[in-house]
Amino acid sequence: MKSILIKGGHLIDPPSRTDRPRDLLIHDNKIVELGDPGKLNATAKKEGAEVIDATGLVVAPGLVDIHVHLREPGQGHKETIESGTKAGAMGGFTALCCMPNTSPVNDSPEITRWMLSPERNAVIRVFPVAAATRGSMGEAITEYGSLKAAGAVGVSDDGKPVLQDAIMHQALIAAARAGVPMIQHAENTKITVGASMNAGARAFRLGLRGMSVEAESGIVERDIRLVRELTTSGKGPRPHLHVQHVSTAKAMEAIRHAKRAGLHVTCEVAPHHFMLTDEAVEGYNTHAKMNPPLRGEADRAAMVTALLDGTADCIATDHAPHAVHEKEQEFEKAPNGITGLETSLSLSIKMLHHQHRMPLLRLIHLMSTAPAHIMGLRGRGTLAPEAFADVVLFDPKSTWTFNARNSPSKSRNTPFDGHTLPGVVKMTISEGRIVYRS
Amino acid sequence: MPKKATAQAPQPKATTPSADGIHPGSLLSITQLSLEEVSNILALAERLAGEPQSKHATLLENRKLALLFYESSTRTRTSFELAAKSLGAMTTLVSDKSSSIEKGESLKDTGLTLRALGAECIILRHNASGSPYLLAKHTGLPVLNAGDGMHEHPSQALLDLRTILSRLGKKQAATDTTLDGITVCITGDILHSRVARSNALLLPRLGAKVILCGPQQLLPPEAVDLSTGITLERDFDKALQQSQVAMMLRIQKERLAGMQIDLADYQKQYQLNEDRYFKHAPTAVVMHPGPMIRGLEITADIADGPSSAIEEQVRNGLAIRMALLVRALNGGAA
Ligand SMILES: [Zn+2]
């Protein structure tokens, strides 16, 4: 039994709307008490607590990323659960939901349990998302109940979205029964064959096939229609659709309408989609190749607006590590995705807090409380007593220069390498253990 | 490098590569050239084409050039090869046809191997758009783009420009008014054409109007954004009526799979034949980057007729490529 007193910090806890100097006492793996500055000193002393001076720092619930790729099993050269969770800790994260496009695909309780076993050496908590269909082939849905019992917190076929209406319908019902979200990467892959960037003038000039906005919005609209049908039928539990990394204004507008109509639809936005446009592809920069692709300026701005007005529920990185040689290929051949755990907080502070005056309380909500809530991660995303002692301490005022080589991630495929960014993570505490200290 | 060659041969200048590591002697996209550089290349091509071969036969003596061809191309390959040889350079051809490209080896590694073997410049033809950027970045060598995917074919745009200038009786130089009052129509499969892109990106900068012409599926609306000075026209007759130059593109039948293109209908609407030519643009210069499919996009009588500059394009290709090779090995100066 070990106690930690975090004193002198500015505490931000979205669920209780706390945004002021408070000290925090941790005992073992739980949060015990919050108190005015100095109030907890006596208790801490009695318990022999380790004292952490958080003067000048924000103390917030550990960040939660509900969309990452940890590449294990099968692609340990890109990332392992150990290296990926270390990168997460460096970025201030204490919980990661990892996608099932591993090798083999995580479509069984055995693989889910394998990911969760202590031998993986995760330094922060991992919550697997299991495949929605067997092998993510989109043909037959998996056993959601037993996957959940094994530890899965959601179902998704990630990069291979469920296209067939009937299968998606079944998946929504089964996920609702199991009490997990059905998570969809919205892309009509039938019309994006061979496409490697956003459709439009730039793709035309670069001679690259483009993905249209409609390839994304069409699936979102279809999924919302299915959710509406199931919801209004009144039969069975209410389905929860979570849309991954929305990148287009058109899809976001469909989600906005669905929310107004009272449907249980949530969505996430990735930092690269609110930071960058397809201009970054110039020179055939494979570190700007991702799926969904970087879009035009209007779409980028729409992602910011959606985060500001609450249409976008949370920020998720889609951390997608790839080895150097895999990205050093012809643009169309290179794999999609960039790493994101190390820079997510800083990019969010830069764009949302600095440029758009979003209060940090709201930003922490988007990066911790809301994602924990979407995935049903109890006792996370909050600093309330009895919650897990998942805490991040960061300095929102100072800046740092991100050097991808220094990241514990096995990969360094990021367009933000070398960027100087605001917001320095000073310490990450996962269930009472200090897992990162800068 | 032996001493005797140094009197004449351009020496690699101590060049500072640009921030992205790309050698200044590279030509990856026509957009990277300033009009001054275009003029320099045209002037050098003019000089090389005008002097007896003996005068420049040792200009690139003992220099090593690699032709890396992932796609077959008789015309472009031979043109670069003959250009190099007529300047005295040593060339080696690495092609997928001769299976000398190691199976599964990455483009980067192939480039590094060629560099290690002494190649001082790589001429690359590849089916992936942007591949010359990858090669240039990782080898640091001058890379000449000899056609990449659906992207660009910059040496073709330069030889086309040389041809247009000589056919219109203009001097071989490029300013922003050189082609004032001239309209060039480029007709056919613009979507897949790297020749169309490079030309549409270059000619308007010299003051030309460029009309892109073709059916919707081969000419999407976003093509108009390639550059200022571009208009789209679906009606070939109307396009011709305004043009002094008619540049026809090859219909790449292999690219049409899955598209709703009726070849007979295409022929009816977009083929350049005598009837259409004499009715709408009887004095226009006729161009085609080849290889032609006679009877499809163009008829033989037009292709071989007096208005055709097609053979001249091929000849100009040699001169332009000589100039580009000299520039590449001269650290970017032509
Ligand atoms: Zn993903």
Side-chain angles (χ1 to χ4, degrees):
Chain A
M1 293 284 182
K2 188 178 167 240
S3 297
I4 300 175
L5 175 69
I6 302 171
K7 59 181 283 185
H10 184 98
L11 199 134
I12 292 180
D13 181 44
S16 60
R17 305 205 62 79
T18 305
D19 189 357
R20 63 196 155 102
R22 297 280 271 170
D23 291 351
L24 178 69
L25 186 63
I26 293 168
H27 185 68
D28 200 19
N29 66 340
K30 292 283 175 67
I31 287 163
V32 185
E33 208 178 339
L34 283 73
D36 288 334
K39 269 278 168 67
L40 303 174
N41 285 359
T43 325
K45 199 166 183 186
K46 206 163 58 194
E47 292 191 17
E50 177 183 352
V51 178
I52 292 165
D53 181 7
T55 306
L57 304 182
V58 165
V59 178
L63 308 180
V64 176
D65 192 341
I66 63 173
H67 187 165
V68 303
H69 299 267
L70 296 179
R71 305 297 186 206
E72 263 195 315
Q75 294 179 302
H77 69 285
K78 296 175 193 256
E79 196 78 287
T80 60
I81 289 173
E82 181 174 352
S83 65
T85 52
K86 280 182 179 163
M90 180 184 161
F93 289 91
T94 53
L96 305 178
C97 299
C98 58
M99 288 302 136
N101 63 336
T102 47
S103 179
V105 168
N106 177 20
D107 60 2
S108 73
E110 290 71 33
I111 298 172
T112 304
R113 280 194 289 265
W114 182 92
M115 288 172 161
L116 289 170
S117 76
E119 288 86 84
R120 302 288 85 73
N121 292 322
V123 303
I124 58 175
R125 284 301 300 265
V126 167
F127 296 93
V129 168
T133 67
R134 250 182 269 148
S136 286
M137 300 304 284
E139 299 290 335
I141 67 167
T142 49
E143 295 272 341
Y144 298 176
S146 41
L147 286 163
K148 188 189 183 189
V153 294
V155 292
S156 175
D157 281 346
D158 195 58
K160 292 175 154 185
V162 179
L163 294 189
Q164 289 185 56
D165 289 16
I167 304 293
M168 187 61 187
H169 178 94
Q170 267 184 47
L172 284 165
I173 295 175
R177 278 203 194 111
V180 294
M182 167 62 204
I183 302 167
Q184 179 88 300
H185 164 114
E187 178 192 351
N188 184 347
T189 46
K190 282 191 190 136
I191 61 173
T192 58
V193 179
S196 58
M197 71 171 290
N198 184 40
R202 198 179 300 276
F204 185 85
R205 178 165 50 73
L206 292 172
L208 297 170
R209 287 173 209 279
M211 297 194 197
S212 67
V213 158
E214 285 72 25
E216 175 173 291
S217 63
I219 293 294
V220 171
E221 284 157 11
R222 190 278 313 255
D223 288 350
I224 289 172
R225 174 171 58 75
L226 294 172
V227 169
R228 179 179 289 115
E229 283 164 17
L230 286 167
T231 306
T232 53
S233 78
K235 285 178 279 182
R238 198 161 160 260
H240 174 189
L241 169 73
H242 177 75
V243 187
Q244 296 184 310
H245 43 43
V246 180
S247 69
T248 63
K250 198 164 184 214
M252 198 54 92
E253 197 49 36
I255 292 165
R256 194 170 276 127
H257 280 283
K259 288 186 169 217
R260 279 197 197 126
L263 303 176
H264 195 185
V265 176
T266 56
C267 72
E268 69 198 31
V269 170
H272 45 265
H273 288 132
F274 65 67
M275 292 298 294
L276 303 172
T277 66
D278 63 2
E279 201 183 337
V281 175
E282 288 294 337
Y284 300 89
N285 177 12
T286 56
H287 286 174
K289 186 183 177 191
M290 44 200 94
N291 187 8
L294 297 173
R295 305 283 185 179
E297 174 55 24
D299 286 315
R300 188 203 63 79
M303 296 308 104
V304 174
T305 305
L307 287 161
L308 292 170
D309 75 11
T311 307
D313 296 87
C314 70
I315 293 165
T317 66
D318 192 8
H319 177 78
H322 293 292
V324 172
H325 71 272
E326 294 166 324
K327 278 288 193 181
E328 283 181 346
Q329 291 196 75
E330 295 86 329
F331 192 86
E332 288 161 299
K333 260 200 203 172
N336 284 309
I338 60 169
T339 60
L341 288 165
E342 309 92 328
T343 49
S344 184
L345 177 63
S346 290
L347 295 172
S348 301
I349 288 175
K350 182 175 180 175
M351 178 59 70
L352 302 174
H353 182 55
H354 286 177
Q355 272 179 249
H356 292 275
R357 305 263 155 249
M358 178 188 279
L360 285 174
L361 181 81
R362 170 89 188 124
L363 194 148
I364 297 298
H365 172 82
L366 288 169
M367 296 193 70
S368 178
T369 309
H373 183 73
I374 288 167
M375 303 301 279
L377 311 182
R378 294 240 180 99
R380 313 213 182 245
T382 174
L383 294 175
E386 288 303 299
F388 287 103
D390 287 353
V391 188
V392 58
L393 278 65
F394 65 94
D395 180 351
K397 298 228 160 67
S398 49
T399 60
W400 65 301
T401 301
F402 174 47
N403 182 344
R405 273 165 210 280
N406 297 341
S407 167
S409 170
K410 285 195 162 191
S411 295
R412 50 179 88 120
N413 50 308
T414 159
F416 301 110
D417 193 13
H419 285 218
T420 296
L421 300 167
V424 179
V425 175
K426 292 289 184 182
M427 184 179 284
T428 308
I429 299 171
S430 170
E431 299 190 357
R433 287 170 299 110
I434 297 172
V435 290
Y436 175 80
R437 203 196 280 259
S438 76
Chain B
M1 167 108 6
K3 265 268 165 317
K4 71 170 178 66
T6 57
Q8 216 185 9
Q11 289 306 293
K13 292 201 176 136
T15 46
T16 24
S18 48
D20 48 10
I22 288 172
H23 191 284
S26 289
L27 182 56
L28 311 180
S29 161
I30 198 70
T31 58
Q32 78 182 77
L33 297 177
S34 66
L35 289 184
E36 195 193 338
E37 288 175 288
V38 171
S39 287
N40 292 342
I41 293 165
L42 289 171
L44 182 54
E46 181 83 351
R47 197 197 96 201
L48 293 168
E51 67 190 17
Q53 206 236 314
S54 57
K55 275 204 81 177
H56 52 247
T58 57
L59 197 55
L60 297 183
E61 193 172 30
N62 293 321
R63 308 301 296 269
K64 291 180 189 150
L65 306 172
L67 296 129
L68 182 52
F69 275 60
Y70 284 80
E71 252 182 22
S72 53
S73 154
T74 312
R75 184 178 306 243
T76 305
R77 197 203 72 213
T78 312
S79 179
F80 269 112
E81 207 164 2
L82 291 177
K85 292 209 160 117
S86 64
L87 296 166
M90 287 185 271
T91 62
T92 181
L93 171 68
V94 181
S95 77
D96 60 339
K97 289 286 174 294
S98 64
S99 77
S100 45
I101 292 171
E102 299 293 339
K103 292 263 180 296
E105 185 171 69
S106 72
L107 179 59
K108 175 189 166 183
D109 285 333
T110 304
L112 293 178
T113 302
L114 292 175
R115 187 179 71 181
L117 290 169
E120 297 169 80
C121 170
I122 303 177
I123 297 139
L124 177 71
R125 161 69 67 105
H126 200 289
N127 49 15
S129 298
S131 46
Y133 289 77
L134 179 75
L135 193 67
K137 193 171 142 215
H138 290 297
T139 61
L141 292 177
V143 170
L144 300 181
N145 181 358
D148 61 329
M150 313 192 304
H151 177 227
E152 278 206 50
H153 199 346
S155 63
Q156 177 77 38
L158 291 168
L159 76 86
D160 287 341
L161 176 60
R162 179 169 157 79
T163 308
I164 291 170
L165 293 173
S166 68
R167 275 293 175 129
L168 298 179
K170 298 190 184 279
K171 73 179 198 333
Q172 296 286 328
T175 70
D176 56 6
T177 57
T178 303
L179 292 176
D180 269 1
I182 301 299
T183 299
V184 177
C185 96
I186 307 177
T187 305
D189 185 359
I190 314 280
L191 175 63
H192 297 111
S193 174
R194 45 203 176 206
V195 176
R197 275 178 189 73
S198 286
N199 270 298
L201 288 165
L202 175 65
L203 299 175
R205 291 171 63 203
L206 282 76
K209 274 175 51 182
V210 168
I211 301 175
L212 299 177
C213 184
Q216 185 83 26
Q217 282 200 299
L218 301 180
L219 174 58
E222 57 263 33
V224 80
D225 295 323
L226 273 176
S227 165
T228 51
I230 293 180
T231 50
L232 264 50
E233 176 58 68
R234 304 284 169 204
D235 186 329
F236 188 28
D237 294 345
K238 278 193 197 152
L240 275 177
Q241 283 156 17
Q242 306 165 56
S243 303
Q244 287 75 48
V245 178
M247 195 181 285
M248 304 306 294
L249 300 175
R250 179 167 73 95
I251 284 300
Q252 308 176 56
K253 282 187 191 164
E254 69 279 9
R255 303 252 200 200
L256 301 184
M259 287 189 157
Q260 257 73 61
I261 302 278
D262 175 351
L263 281 182
D265 186 55
Y266 179 87
Q267 228 167 298
K268 208 169 109 205
Q269 288 194 58
Y270 295 103
Q271 183 187 67
L272 189 62
N273 50 38
E274 276 200 318
D275 204 33
R276 183 168 263 138
Y277 180 80
F278 288 114
K279 198 159 157 202
H280 300 295
T283 58
V285 180
V286 174
M287 297 174 70
H288 194 300
M292 277 183 286
I293 309 177
R294 287 167 195 258
L296 180 48
E297 70 266 5
I298 192 165
T299 54
D301 40 26
I302 292 294
D304 303 332
S307 312
S308 168
I310 297 172
E311 275 183 40
E312 202 175 324
Q313 285 174 277
V314 178
R315 271 196 304 279
N316 285 332
L318 207 55
I320 287 290
R321 283 162 184 143
M322 282 197 278
L324 290 177
L325 292 171
V326 171
R327 173 182 176 270
L329 294 175
N330 199 21

